[in-house]
Amino acid sequence: MPMKNVKEAANFIWSIADLLRGEYKQSDYGKVILPLTILRRLDCVLEPSREAVRDEFQRLQDLGLDNVDRPLNRVSGHKFHNTSPYNFELLCEEPDKIAANLREYIRRFSSNAREIIEKFDFDQHISRLDDAKLLYMVIERFKDVDLGPDAVGNIQMGYMFEELIRKFAELSNETAGEHFTPREVIRLMVQLLFAHDQKLLEQPGTIRKIFDCCAGTGGMLSVAEEYLQEVNPQASLISMGQELNPESYAICKSDMLIKGQEAGNIRNGNSLSQDQFAGEEFDYLITNPPFGVKWKKIQPAIKKEHEQLGGNGRFKAGIPSVSDGSLLFLLHLISKMKNKGPSRIAIVFNGSPLFSGSPSSKKNESSIRQWIIERDLLETIVALPNQLFYNTGIHTYVWILTNQKEEERRGKVQLINAVDFYQKMAKSLGDKRNELNEDHINEILRLYREFEEGTYVKIFPNAHFGYRKVTVERPLMKNGKVVRDRQGRPKPDSKLRDTELIPLLEDVDEYMAREVDPHVEDAWIDDSKTKIGYEINFTKYFYEYQALRPLDEIRADIEALEAESDALMQEVFA
């Protein structure tokens, strides 16, 4: 059945889930529908070459050849194949044997495609559906949706998976935002990522590598590839990624297979504790790590690397609080920037990485920010509107980092306040009620490129974000006299001890003379306890004072409301 658009196809597939009602909990519908959607997609993609692949397979068997993947892939026209005599249409011709035939059909996929289905543990569901007399009904419905590449392109297929995942996540009270990022946010991130390479990307034969350490279903990699093809159809983007969730990994890998890319470039596992791209370097790095997720389970592995590898490890700058591992992902990406040549990073955070953590003897969030800013890696931060993501209504921020800033940007950080750049959605999707349109994205890009201060842009030197946390002591008094040590110095009174945060760009003595000495003349700073900290107080930089309304106006409004209320009461009791 040809579908008019992606939404119609997604709704049709969604309707198949109604067959599972009673046998499956709603929260488990995705365990059946998602792998079958992938299976049907692979089935449609391979259909034009199905007979030719079977004939070639038989010929190669007759010759006694075992290693047949490469020649069969050539015949299929893809980097995968299936040697089974079945497709979805033929599976439905033998209802009584459909479970055995479906298993045989899956078994005859090339190993790289078969592994995708296995990630869903789908075999157990074949038995369950067959026992409930549902397997034939579900397959029969799936064969009626055309998911071939002519009907549904790769980008559209990604949208379809996102729509299905969102629906299933709502049913199971899970966070769909763990799986994907709104496409308009990705487009903004990708264009910021590629902003300074426009001329280079337009050169014939350009090859670039991009990496996403929280790849999800592959949305960021797909949008980056789509954008580069728009800029230069002759350019090549080698996409690589790692994803923890096995189902999201399977969807991402299937997308890579169908696009003809190397599916082995997508790997399953925890990027922080199981780095499967150690030693790799990339031109572009992009990701949306989980917001505010605890990382206690992998804490031993992270601490071990931090302690044993020190300056040679990924986490040399510090380790954040175990309650939020966001900055660990950023350090992971920084470790994969090129030693020779430019690399750029786009990562989206909530507000916590801007200011969490205070200066201490242990390296924490503050020392991570210090390490990044003092190395002049942080280029730009864009504050996005709230209610933009599916799983959170809070404000989010896109950080852009590079190891080779342009001359005018060196030693500086650009802040862009885009919190008011949005339009309301016609219909909310989870917590997502707002969206960026093309005009908003273009305006943010304009502000970024012009690099000029204004209503929405502030530009500060790197040191502006640093401060000294100084310990202010006052003398211990006894019987009205200052208690002194053996060297004749006043002993500090711990009960009167205080701290002051003094900007790095301000002279300490001048600060003390202005802010402390007029109130406590006997105070002094214990320099041995001074710590350096860094934070980015985004709200303060763009704060605009709103004058309070005059009391006369407020009183007049109250009197008007009282008069209106009295009039309504008179109508009720008249």
Side-chain angles (χ1 to χ4, degrees):
M1 177 188 297
M3 298 294 170
K4 294 179 181 178
N5 53 48
V6 171
K7 186 80 171 177
E8 183 180 343
N11 288 339
F12 182 84
I13 293 171
W14 173 251
S15 71
I16 300 174
D18 287 337
L19 295 172
L20 306 178
R21 195 181 304 275
E23 179 61 28
Y24 281 82
K25 294 185 296 184
Q26 286 187 328
S27 58
D28 290 335
Y29 285 177
K31 296 176 181 179
V32 173
I33 300 301
L34 290 176
L36 281 175
T37 302
I38 292 177
L39 206 56
R40 178 57 177 158
R41 172 68 163 176
L42 299 179
D43 185 61
C44 291
V45 168
L46 292 178
E47 181 57 29
S49 62
R50 186 171 63 87
E51 292 294 340
V53 168
R54 283 191 62 211
D55 292 342
E56 179 66 5
F57 178 60
Q58 186 61 55
R59 188 183 73 82
L60 295 172
Q61 276 196 321
D62 293 342
L63 293 173
L65 298 179
D66 295 325
N67 191 6
V68 298
D69 279 358
R70 188 168 295 178
L72 291 181
N73 286 349
R74 276 200 300 269
V75 175
S76 75
H78 300 279
K79 292 194 173 183
F80 66 103
H81 60 268
N82 189 315
T83 60
S84 167
Y86 297 106
N87 59 12
F88 269 51
E89 191 78 33
L90 294 172
L91 284 170
C92 293
E93 291 184 1
E94 296 183 289
D96 295 338
K97 298 179 181 179
I98 194 164
N101 292 345
L102 179 57
R103 285 191 171 97
E104 176 65 7
Y105 173 66
I106 294 171
R107 188 184 70 81
R108 299 281 286 273
F109 271 104
S110 52
S111 59
N112 54 358
R114 189 169 62 251
E115 186 231 6
I116 293 170
I117 305 303
E118 290 171 349
K119 282 294 179 181
F120 288 93
D121 292 326
F122 186 59
D123 190 73
Q124 62 175 306
H125 295 288
I126 293 177
S127 298
R128 183 174 175 181
L129 289 167
D130 195 43
D131 291 343
K133 309 300 182 187
L134 290 173
L135 184 59
Y136 170 78
M137 297 170 65
V138 171
I139 298 296
E140 199 271 338
R141 290 288 300 278
F142 261 102
K143 78 174 176 58
D144 287 338
V145 60
D146 183 1
L147 296 182
D150 291 337
V152 184
N154 291 320
I155 295 295
Q156 288 71 32
M157 197 69 203
Y159 283 125
M160 185 186 301
F161 275 120
E162 290 179 0
E163 177 71 6
L164 291 172
I165 290 172
R166 184 189 64 77
K167 287 177 177 289
F168 290 130
E170 286 180 355
L171 287 177
S172 58
N173 292 320
E174 294 176 354
T175 53
E178 289 181 0
H179 299 276
F180 54 87
T181 309
R183 289 294 170 116
E184 76 269 23
V185 176
I186 301 177
R187 287 198 299 273
L188 172 64
M189 294 173 70
V190 165
Q191 292 187 59
L192 288 170
L193 200 62
F194 291 169
H196 296 293
D197 288 347
Q198 205 72 18
K199 291 182 179 179
L200 192 62
L201 293 175
E202 291 173 358
Q203 295 177 5
T206 294
I207 299 176
R208 290 290 180 270
K209 289 171 63 179
I210 188 168
F211 176 67
D212 184 349
C213 64
C214 304
T217 59
M220 288 193 169
L221 298 176
S222 294
V223 172
E225 181 184 3
E226 180 186 27
Y227 178 76
L228 185 55
Q229 287 297 304
E230 291 174 2
V231 174
N232 181 5
Q234 281 74 48
S236 295
L237 189 65
I238 300 173
S239 298
M240 307 180 86
Q242 187 165 338
E243 171 55 33
L244 174 62
N245 181 280
E247 289 85 2
S248 296
Y249 157 77
I251 292 171
C252 184
K253 188 169 182 178
S254 67
D255 180 58
M256 294 284 284
L257 265 183
I258 292 165
K259 288 190 296 188
Q261 295 203 9
E262 181 54 57
N265 288 345
I266 305 299
R267 298 167 195 173
N268 190 207
N270 189 306
S271 288
L272 299 180
S273 60
Q274 302 167 302
D275 180 11
Q276 297 189 27
F277 292 87
E280 292 273 5
E281 295 181 350
F282 299 91
D283 300 285
Y284 308 111
L285 304 106
I286 186 169
T287 202
N288 172 17
F291 298 158
V293 173
K294 295 181 179 179
W295 53 280
K296 192 171 184 62
K297 290 182 180 179
I298 60 172
Q299 187 178 24
I302 301 300
K303 290 186 67 175
K304 182 179 179 180
E305 179 175 338
H306 176 65
E307 293 167 0
Q308 292 186 353
L309 298 183
N312 296 319
R314 293 175 293 166
F315 311 116
K316 51 182 170 286
I319 296 180
S321 165
V322 75
S323 63
D324 185 357
S326 297
L327 285 171
L328 290 176
F329 289 99
L330 178 54
L331 292 177
H332 175 64
L333 293 186
I334 290 174
S335 74
K336 301 192 181 305
M337 299 178 93
K338 298 167 75 172
N339 287 319
K340 296 179 180 179
S343 291
R344 292 176 63 79
I345 293 174
I347 188 169
V348 60
F349 284 141
N350 63 7
S352 177
L354 293 171
F355 54 79
S356 60
S358 60
S360 69
S361 56
K362 293 183 178 180
K363 291 183 176 181
N364 59 13
E365 293 93 337
S366 179
S367 59
I368 293 172
R369 285 189 295 272
Q370 178 180 358
W371 185 89
I372 290 170
I373 294 173
E374 288 184 350
R375 280 157 182 78
D376 206 18
L377 294 174
L378 182 59
E379 182 181 87
T380 302
I381 298 179
V382 180
L384 298 176
N386 63 2
Q387 298 182 337
L388 206 59
F389 282 71
Y390 301 98
N391 64 330
T392 178
I394 62 175
H395 286 290
T396 49
Y397 302 81
V398 174
W399 291 34
I400 303 296
L401 295 88
T402 179
N403 58 0
Q404 289 191 14
K405 286 185 180 180
E406 293 184 320
E407 181 64 35
E408 66 173 348
R409 292 178 178 267
R410 289 177 186 169
K412 302 173 184 176
V413 176
Q414 178 189 30
L415 305 180
I416 301 176
N417 185 28
V419 296
D420 295 325
F421 293 16
Y422 67 90
Q423 66 182 22
K424 285 290 182 183
M425 296 177 62
K427 182 180 180 182
S428 300
L429 296 174
D431 289 318
K432 181 175 175 58
R433 297 176 176 84
N434 300 326
E435 61 185 355
L436 304 172
N437 60 32
E438 286 302 314
D439 289 339
H440 298 135
I441 293 174
N442 290 335
E443 178 62 10
I444 293 171
L445 290 169
R446 183 188 67 80
L447 293 171
Y448 168 77
R449 291 191 178 101
E450 289 183 355
F451 195 64
E452 295 176 355
E453 286 207 332
T455 304
Y456 301 107
V457 177
K458 303 294 181 185
I459 299 171
F460 297 107
N462 290 342
H464 175 86
F465 304 103
Y467 61 90
R468 300 177 186 87
K469 183 179 180 180
V470 302
T471 300
V472 180
E473 302 283 14
R474 295 182 62 192
L476 177 66
M477 307 293 291
K478 193 171 183 180
N479 298 325
K481 296 182 178 181
V482 175
V483 179
R484 300 182 179 274
D485 60 18
R486 293 181 180 179
Q487 284 75 37
R489 296 171 301 191
K491 284 188 175 182
D493 187 341
S494 60
K495 294 180 181 179
L496 299 178
R497 183 171 294 147
D498 200 358
T499 59
E500 292 284 336
L501 304 181
I502 304 177
L504 285 183
L505 296 177
E506 184 162 357
D507 183 86
V508 174
D509 292 335
E510 291 179 1
Y511 178 92
M512 291 291 290
R514 184 182 71 251
E515 301 292 339
V516 179
D517 293 348
H519 309 288
V520 282
E521 296 180 356
D522 55 359
W524 74 92
I525 292 176
D526 184 346
D527 292 325
S528 67
K529 296 177 181 177
T530 297
K531 300 286 189 301
I532 301 297
Y534 273 72
E535 69 175 19
I536 303 170
N537 194 332
F538 215 103
T539 304
K540 180 179 74 174
Y541 304 140
F542 290 95
Y543 174 75
E544 292 184 4
Y545 174 73
Q546 299 290 331
L548 297 175
R549 294 173 62 200
L551 288 176
D552 290 344
E553 286 187 14
I554 297 173
R555 187 180 295 109
D557 285 347
I558 293 173
E559 290 173 351
L561 288 171
E562 288 177 343
E564 182 179 354
S565 176
D566 289 343
L568 291 171
M569 292 295 291
Q570 289 177 8
E571 289 182 15
V572 171
F573 294 105

